Amino acid sequence: MITLKLNGQDHPLDVTEDMPLLWAIRDVAGYNGTKFGCGMGLCGACTIHIDGLPVRSCITPIGSVAGQNVTTIDNLHADPIGQIVQQAWLDTAVAQCGFCQGGQIMSATALLKTNPNPSDEQIEEAMVGNICRCGTYNRIKTAIRQASTHLKEAKA
């Protein structure tokens, strides 16, 4: 039995320590917002936060996150910066098929938490490895810039 601190709640899960965190989140805990993409940590669809940092859940064993806070896209509405990023995504109509967008939003939120005013280069660096098969990269960057502007205005 492993207790996972997931989306602000303790979840006792009857899984092995080497089970990929993605499958524990989706199949055992029942949070299905995090998507399976490549299974090798290359596409970013499965990105979650572990103690606020973006991590690929498909290659992270559940046993390695003991005692850490795991947040998925399913609970990002409870995060003020996550709310701003999600609204920017809607305002700029980023999504086409939408499959990768949970991971994109999680990576963008992690960036803005550590750097609320990123340059274009910093945005590109933070989003490396998040693949969008529809090619919405320009809209993603626009949404991140919009969220950054909103954060600056909120502080003023």
Side-chain angles (χ1 to χ4, degrees):
M1 189 70 69
I2 295 174
T3 299
L4 181 63
K5 289 184 177 183
L6 179 60
N7 293 330
Q9 298 178 4
D10 285 342
H11 291 267
L13 306 175
D14 188 13
V15 298
T16 61
E17 289 190 6
D18 62 343
M19 177 183 235
L21 187 52
L22 173 65
W23 301 122
I25 290 168
R26 287 184 59 81
D27 294 348
V28 183
Y31 291 89
N32 60 7
T34 305
K35 303 298 182 203
F36 173 79
C38 67
M40 297 182 290
L42 302 173
C43 74
C46 70
T47 302
I48 57 161
H49 293 170
I50 297 177
D51 288 340
L53 299 175
V55 173
R56 305 299 195 249
S57 63
C58 71
I59 58 170
T60 303
I62 190 171
S64 71
V65 299
Q68 297 175 310
N69 294 307
V70 177
T71 305
T72 70
I73 190 75
D74 303 282
N75 200 50
L76 205 58
H77 66 278
D79 181 309
I81 295 175
Q83 291 173 6
I84 290 168
V85 172
Q86 287 176 323
Q87 189 60 53
W89 244 249
L90 293 172
D91 292 346
T92 56
V94 171
Q96 283 187 20
C97 83
F99 192 81
C100 70
Q101 296 306 309
Q104 301 277 3
I105 290 169
M106 294 301 285
S107 291
T109 300
L111 165 65
L112 293 173
K113 283 182 173 218
T114 59
N115 182 358
N117 190 24
S119 66
D120 283 348
E121 294 78 23
Q122 291 168 323
I123 291 171
E124 290 168 11
E125 183 179 315
M127 300 305 289
V128 162
N130 284 278
I131 297 171
C132 176
R133 288 172 179 87
C134 299
T136 64
Y137 299 110
N138 288 333
R139 283 187 274 177
I140 290 168
K141 193 184 293 184
T142 298
I144 294 171
R145 281 194 222 111
Q146 178 181 316
S148 173
T149 299
H150 186 81
L151 288 170
K152 284 186 274 188
E153 291 170 354
K155 282 188 175 184

